[in-house]
């Protein structure tokens, strides 16, 4: 399995995504051909190898024709709740009228994590389902709160920083 973070390097070629070579990893199409510099197509299967050993397969799924940037926020060593809301005192704040001052929070206890909507009027969504109260989080869960998208990645979260018309602030 994958035992460390790997940053895949990509570029846009003729309005299509392609991988760039790296000394850290090797990427090949399922048929064994190198995929560097080749435009990716929907349904392509890419095999990732680290240190000469196959680790994981990825399937290319084209969804939208725009790029979203996410900012990482480490949860290592954090024992207090990570707060989300419109108030500037939150760890993640967004100046939207649709977001409550104290809208939601992520609770970390050991290796377990939970997401809790704090009774907001407009609600919070995890994996496109409205959350009432508190639910457990799993790796890859997507949290959506009116202009903020947070992806839970275990010991870190990735926060969408450019899809909102409202300013998103991350307090470290």
């Amino acid at each position: 399995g994958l035992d460390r973070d790997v940053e895949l390097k990509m570029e846009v070629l003729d309005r299509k995504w392609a991988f760039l070579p790296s000394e850290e990893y090797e990427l090949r199409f399922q048929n064994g051909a190198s995929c560097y510099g080749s435009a990716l197509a929907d349904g392509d299967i890419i095999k990732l190898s680290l240190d000469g050993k196959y680790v994981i397969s990825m399937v290319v799924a084209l969804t939208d024709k725009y790029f979203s940037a996410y900012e990482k926020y480490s949860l290592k060593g954090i024992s207090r709740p990570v707060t989300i809301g419109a108030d500037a005192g939150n760890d993640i704040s967004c100046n939207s009228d649709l977001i409550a001052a104290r809208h939601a929070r992520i609770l970390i206890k050991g290796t377990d994590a939970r997401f809790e909507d704090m009774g907001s009027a407009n609600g919070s969504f995890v994996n496109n389902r409205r959350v009432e109260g508190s639910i457990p989080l799993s790796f890859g869960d997507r949290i959506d709160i009116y202009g903020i998208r947070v992806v839970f990645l275990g010991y870190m979260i990735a926060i969408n920083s450019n899809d909102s018309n409202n300013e998103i602030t991350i307090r470290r």
Side-chain angles (χ1 to χ4, degrees), residues 51-79:
D51 306 321
K53 296 179 183 173
Y54 163 74
V55 177
I56 192 170
S57 294
M58 300 173 282
V59 178
V60 175
L62 302 179
T63 56
D64 293 315
K65 296 189 180 211
Y66 69 94
F67 178 75
S68 292
Y70 285 76
E71 187 172 338
K72 287 184 188 178
Y73 182 97
S74 177
L75 299 175
K76 285 183 180 176
I78 292 180
S79 57

Side-chain angles (χ1 to χ4, degrees), residues 108-123:
I108 309 293
K109 187 173 185 180
T111 58
D112 295 324
R114 298 188 70 76
F115 176 80
E116 180 181 10
D117 183 277
M118 311 267 301
S120 66
N122 292 324

Side-chain angles (χ1 to χ4, degrees), residues 126-127 137-143 149-154 156:
V126 173
N127 299 329
L137 285 173
S138 297
F139 187 92
D141 282 347
R142 294 172 323 280
I143 301 165
R149 170 162 280 181
V150 177
V151 180
F152 179 72
L153 300 169
M156 70 175 33

Side-chain angles (χ1 to χ4, degrees), residues 69-113:
Y70 285 76
E71 187 172 338
K72 287 184 188 178
Y73 182 97
S74 177
L75 299 175
K76 285 183 180 176
I78 292 180
S79 57
R80 63 174 174 71
V82 175
T83 58
I84 305 168
D87 186 84
N90 288 293
D91 296 299
I92 304 166
S93 62
C94 181
N95 63 340
S96 169
D97 293 337
L98 298 172
I99 298 176
R102 296 268 180 207
H103 198 99
R105 61 188 180 172
I106 298 171
L107 307 158
I108 309 293
K109 187 173 185 180
T111 58
D112 295 324

